[in-house]
Amino acid sequence: MAASTLLFVGDVSLDLTMAVSHVPQPDEKVHADRTVEGPGGVVANAAAAAAASGAAVRLSVRLGNDTASEVLLAGLRAAGLAVEVEHGDSSVYRVVVLIEPHGEKRLMLDPNPTLFPTLDAIERLSLDGVSHVHTALYGPAAPRLVERCREADVPWSLDLEPATFKDGFDTIAPLVAGASVVFVNERSARAIGDGFERILLRTGAKSVVHTMGAEGARYGSEVDTFTVAPPSGLAVIDTTGAGDCLAGWFVAGVAAGLPPQENLRRAVVAASLSCGRLGGQMSFPDRAAVLSLLQIVESAA
């Protein structure tokens, strides 16, 4: 593997996305206007976005023993990912996404053991030639992955989903200490509490990226703080995976040595473009589309 290889470890799901006129009332049947099905998951989405940016990406996931797992694996490989699979005995993790006319999503999840590789799979992972590891802290094997990164002196980043610290931020604080980047959305920020950015930096995170939906994203570190707004005038069809798209692009930029402000501008543009199509990974833009729009935005500034 080349020294620039990025390793993503974590969840993958089969997402059924349905665009509807409204959320059904009790006993009401609502017909979907459009429907798409494909790979999803916080970490798998970020991996696909990083690959779309041009990075070399490995993805380590746990799949089930059902037909849906075979469909997922084919979709992930088609996205340009070098997938390393551990197979379990259960069905794959499934998500139903309802998209309302304004583009916001409502998710129904059927989580199962395929959310994160087992401890044995984490121990077998090769970190040779890996320049950065990105994960979400699902499952009991996640702490060992962070420990292995520390032992090998490989930078790591975390996507802090609220479900990964239901018993309070203190339960994951030791894993945040030393992280290159910590990504938080609005729900995660509220779960951590007032002054969440300062809390994360004081805990030992080297930088924090706060994804703020239509308001863009904010970067914070001990030496720099700034906010990047999204481009104006873009259609919002489906916000599914936009934050994951941003994380994948930003992680790839970190590994490539991009300055934080330039890196976040590219990541915000990528996330904004991803909202213009239905579905998660299938909506992620490639490098040419992002750089083209970024050039237009900068020319107009």
Side-chain angles (χ1 to χ4, degrees):
M1 288 290 179
S4 60
T5 298
L6 311 180
L7 173 61
F8 290 72
V9 183
D11 62 314
V12 64
S13 62
L14 181 61
D15 289 5
L16 174 63
T17 302
M18 308 176 77
V20 296
S21 60
H22 62 282
V23 176
Q25 297 297 315
D27 201 34
E28 180 187 11
K29 297 177 181 178
V30 174
H31 288 198
D33 299 321
R34 288 166 296 155
T35 302
V36 296
E37 189 174 48
V42 170
V43 172
N45 283 348
S53 79
V57 178
R58 287 169 53 200
L59 172 65
S60 174
V61 292
R62 189 180 185 197
L63 294 175
N65 59 1
D66 54 351
T67 302
S69 293
E70 298 174 8
V71 172
L72 270 179
L73 183 56
L76 294 169
R77 287 175 172 161
L81 304 172
V83 189
E84 301 170 14
V85 183
E86 176 190 25
H87 285 283
D89 294 328
S90 66
S91 59
V92 79
Y93 175 33
R94 294 173 183 266
V95 176
V96 175
V97 185
L98 297 183
I99 304 297
E100 296 180 81
H102 48 73
E104 283 302 327
K105 59 188 180 293
R106 295 176 185 263
L107 279 66
M108 293 168 284
L109 287 69
D110 177 29
N112 61 31
T114 62
L115 266 174
F116 202 88
T118 63
L119 183 59
D120 285 345
I122 296 303
E123 293 291 0
R124 290 194 301 269
L125 270 180
S126 172
L127 297 182
D128 292 344
V130 171
S131 60
H132 191 104
V133 172
H134 180 73
T135 191
L137 301 173
Y138 293 114
R144 177 54 184 151
L145 176 63
V146 171
E147 183 180 1
R148 287 205 59 203
C149 289
R150 289 180 175 136
E151 292 170 352
D153 197 25
V154 173
W156 75 95
S157 53
L158 304 174
D159 193 317
L160 292 193
E161 289 293 305
T164 63
F165 56 102
K166 292 182 291 186
D167 296 325
F169 173 71
D170 289 347
T171 60
I172 62 166
L175 306 179
V176 169
S180 172
V181 191
V182 174
F183 296 91
V184 291
N185 58 23
E186 296 287 6
R187 289 183 179 272
S188 300
R190 288 196 298 269
I192 296 170
D194 292 341
F196 66 91
E197 183 179 289
R198 177 50 48 190
I199 291 171
L200 290 168
L201 293 175
R202 190 171 62 239
T203 300
K206 296 178 182 178
S207 64
V208 177
V209 173
H210 177 203
T211 56
M212 303 183 295
E215 296 180 20
R218 172 185 166 92
Y219 174 91
S221 71
E222 294 292 354
V223 298
D224 201 5
T225 300
F226 55 85
T227 298
V228 174
S232 60
L234 295 181
V236 177
I237 305 299
D238 180 2
T239 60
T240 304
D244 306 331
C245 180
L246 186 151
W249 268 79
F250 193 83
V251 165
V254 168
L258 289 180
Q261 196 148 4
E262 178 184 352
N263 194 14
L264 191 58
R265 281 200 300 269
R266 293 187 182 192
V268 167
V269 166
S272 300
L273 284 170
S274 78
C275 296
R277 293 176 57 194
L278 193 66
Q281 292 183 22
M282 62 194 69
S283 71
F284 293 170
D286 61 17
R287 181 180 181 85
V290 170
L291 295 184
S292 176
L293 179 55
L294 187 61
Q295 185 176 32
I296 292 171
V297 170
E298 291 176 344
S299 297

